[in-house]
DNA sequence: AAGCACATGTAAACAGTTACATGATTAA
DNA sequence: TTAATCATGTAACTGTTTACATGTGCTT
């Protein structure tokens, strides 16, 4: 199951959409959602229909081909739910599976969301510790010369560490909002 | 010119490396650098050699095939520098061109780094404004029910907004360190 | 009448992952 | 002697982008 499938399932769980509407949501990268072009989405909708995760109904619309509105099948909803509560993959660069799951967190119970965020928090804390131990080896930033490769590395590490700190704070904020202690 | 090429050029600007050493650096995602597997790197090194951006010298080493150490050519250095000072592409999801450039910022003058970070800051500030205007439409988070899709959207938007705030703070920190006012 | 948003698709190229394949050197 | 690390490559597959292709309905 690819991330794109999960993104589409997450969108359709909120209601029926045409391929065009899905493509429009995924075309602009705001709100931390998945990004994809319509040329990727239309074939994927075909494949998901074949796999009985979604089903189309033809509705009136413009253009040379029939306009189709897709909705989740029961199997589709089950696949989405199973993915939401499966163990998180390790942190990786680029596209973020966890962030995609959060978009569908409204389908889960409070306890399930808390468990998901706690898993995330553990992974982020681990990564943050790696950053901190790496950074003791690089130096203080103020002591480094601008034309020293270590200065550039320090800048990169500052960015990476700040990023993980943000993600950790977010987890803690959400756990507080959910009424769970960190 | 693909991002992978720029990543390899940035690494080789710091000194000669074997394909294996490059692959090792790029295999672990720490320090905000580019991620790639050796299966992507070896063919790319071939292609870059053909394009005269890098050149190999055979050195003694283990295994059935010759061990090659690559270094930048003058043309390679020029391509790297030209990329570093070219206008930043728009913010996109996933892999981050700017973060990759920062890794090679030690090759630039103070003024060039300041210009680069200011460009970034402008793009991030623009995005942050988009987040803020979107979030007024969603609501307060505390008022929303956990099983409301808007609650999940609020969580996503909180994460995205916090991310942009982090990037903005990073720009300001770096500009201060560089002795430039925001 | 021109231009834009709606709407769906395909083709070709490029990027990236996983798995296969080989073998020397070094340390436990 | 067994295992890890060094070292380089290819093949098959999956994912993503860019460009091509078509035509309606609404607004200016």
């Amino acid at each position: 199951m690819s991330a794109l499938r999960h993104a589409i399932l997450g969108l359709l769980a909120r209601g029926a959409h045409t391929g065009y509407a899905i493509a429009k949501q995924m075309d602009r990268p705001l709100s931390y959602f998945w990004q994809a072009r319509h040329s990727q989405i239309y074939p994927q909708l075909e494949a998901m229909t074949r796999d009985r995760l979604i089903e189309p109904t033809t509705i009136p619309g413009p253009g040379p081909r029939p306009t189709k509105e897709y909705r989740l099948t029961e199997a589709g909803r089950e696949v989405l739910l199973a993915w939401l509560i499966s163990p998180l993959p390790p942190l990786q660069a680029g596209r973020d599976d966890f962030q995609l799951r959060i978009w569908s967190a409204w389908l889960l119970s409070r306890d399930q969301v808390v468990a998901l965020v706690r898993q995330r928090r553990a992974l982020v804390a681990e990564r943050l510790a790696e950053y901190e131990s790496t950074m003791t080896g690089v130096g203080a930033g103020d002591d480094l010369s601008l034309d020293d490769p270590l200065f550039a590395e320090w800048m990169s590490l500052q960015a990476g560490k700040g990023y993980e700190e943000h993600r950790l704070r977010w987890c803690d904020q959400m756990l507080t909002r959910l009424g769970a202690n960190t």
Side-chain angles (χ1 to χ4, degrees), chain A:
Chain A
M1 279 293 165
S2 69
L4 180 56
R5 285 200 164 197
H6 295 132
I8 291 172
L9 290 173
L11 258 178
L12 293 182
R14 293 166 175 232
H17 289 82
T18 62
Y20 183 85
I22 294 171
K24 217 175 65 171
Q25 284 262 333
M26 293 199 186
D27 207 33
R28 36 143 133 247
L30 206 67
S31 98
Y32 242 131
F33 194 61
W34 210 255
Q35 201 177 3
R37 314 265 173 227
H38 78 273
S39 57
Q40 215 185 338
I41 290 165
Y42 287 118
Q44 189 61 247
L45 289 170
E46 283 295 307
M48 290 169 79
T49 302
R50 278 198 302 278
D51 294 343
R52 306 265 182 262
L53 300 174
I54 58 177
E55 54 182 18
T57 37
T58 302
I59 59 167
R65 278 169 294 271
T67 299
K68 288 177 241 168
E69 198 175 55
Y70 291 91
R71 44 176 45 79
L72 281 193
T73 63
E74 198 43 52
R77 182 169 299 264
E78 277 162 28
V79 165
L80 177 59
L81 262 299
W83 166 66
L84 286 174
I85 61 174
S86 67
L88 279 178
L91 294 182
Q92 72 234 89
R95 313 285 248 267
D96 188 344
D97 188 83
F98 174 78
Q99 220 49 255
L100 186 55
R101 293 195 200 194
I102 285 303
W103 217 73
S104 295
W106 63 280
L107 291 166
L108 298 174
S109 72
R110 178 186 304 260
D111 287 353
Q112 286 173 322
V113 179
V114 169
L116 187 61
V117 176
R118 284 216 174 105
Q119 261 189 86
R120 169 70 157 197
R121 195 186 188 283
L123 291 170
V124 170
E126 204 183 312
R127 172 68 66 92
L128 193 53
E130 283 181 68
Y131 269 108
E132 268 152 12
S133 82
T134 306
M135 291 190 78
T136 54
V138 172
D142 286 324
D143 308 334
L144 293 163
S145 163
L146 296 199
D147 59 1
D148 188 333
L150 283 179
F151 180 72
E153 204 175 325
W154 172 79
M155 286 197 288
S156 290
L157 288 167
Q158 277 299 115
K161 189 186 158 216
Y163 184 32
E164 300 307 336
E165 282 167 348
H166 146 62
R167 304 212 276 195
L168 200 75
R169 272 198 309 277
W170 181 90
C171 288
D172 290 340
Q173 275 170 35
M174 292 306 133
L175 288 171
T176 301
R177 169 62 185 85
L178 292 162
N181 49 355
T182 303

